[in-house]
Amino acid sequence: MPAYGSADCLLPSENTQGSILWLDVVDAATPRLPPLITVFADGRLAVRASPPSSRLLSGHITRAEVKALWDQIITTDGLLLIDSAGIAAAIGAPPSGSKGFLVPPMADAPWSFLAVTVPKCHHLIGVEGSALRSMARPDSDALQRFRRAEVRLLALATAVQMGE
């Protein structure tokens, strides 16, 4: 992956084909296709309908909203500086001030996958049980930043699903 902040990791023009961000939350260690939500540079949203439906729903946000989402997730939350291994290591380490307490493995916890997919810059992060772990590990900055990005994308997906 190109270095964070390089010209290759900037928000592409709204005429760019393909997705810029996607999120999937699944009960397996690999994402599904299509993912739960896909965001395109021109503001199009592709969202899987609520189960049990397998339909793909369409939504749209303005280019200004795309830029704000990108700035929040990429610039403010620094998604490109977070990796799955770092979060896994932080989750496995005892929380600060815990006297050795470890967050136990979570049976059947869903996996959340968040990807940046702009041309020449691809970054994928997978976290098991991010919602529960983020509550259990408020001291993990990377996990908290991942969770904020995930919640923003989940809110967009929910808005499209509610409008179906």
Side-chain angles (χ1 to χ4, degrees):
M1 178 183 90
Y4 174 71
S6 75
D8 291 334
C9 289
L10 298 177
L11 177 63
S13 77
E14 61 187 306
N15 299 327
T16 302
Q17 297 297 313
S19 66
I20 59 168
L21 295 167
W22 62 257
L23 171 74
D24 201 15
V25 180
V26 294
D27 57 358
T30 55
R32 288 181 287 200
L33 293 175
L36 174 61
I37 182 170
T38 304
V39 179
F40 297 87
D42 64 1
R44 286 178 295 125
L45 305 173
V47 177
R48 274 197 325 258
S50 301
S53 176
S54 60
R55 292 182 309 141
L56 197 58
L57 306 172
S58 296
H60 194 274
I61 58 177
T62 67
R63 177 65 179 181
E65 291 169 318
V66 171
K67 287 179 182 179
L69 179 68
W70 183 267
D71 287 345
Q72 186 64 48
I73 290 175
I74 302 301
T75 305
T76 303
D77 289 336
L79 188 75
L80 298 174
L81 301 174
I82 301 170
D83 67 5
S84 301
I87 289 178
I91 289 170
S96 58
S98 68
K99 299 181 181 169
F101 168 76
L102 291 174
V103 177
M106 297 181 177
D108 300 326
W111 277 82
S112 296
F113 296 93
L114 206 160
V116 176
T117 57
V118 298
K120 300 182 185 177
C121 183
H122 301 276
H123 188 61
L124 174 65
I125 305 166
V127 178
E128 183 182 18
S130 66
L132 296 173
R133 290 189 188 278
S134 67
M135 289 185 285
R137 295 305 306 261
D139 62 324
S140 173
D141 181 61
L143 178 58
Q144 296 305 319
R145 290 184 291 134
F146 175 88
R147 182 66 182 151
R148 282 193 302 269
E150 178 183 29
V151 167
R152 283 182 187 87
L153 291 169
L154 286 171
L156 285 174
T158 301
V160 172
Q161 289 171 335
M162 297 299 287
E164 60 178 309

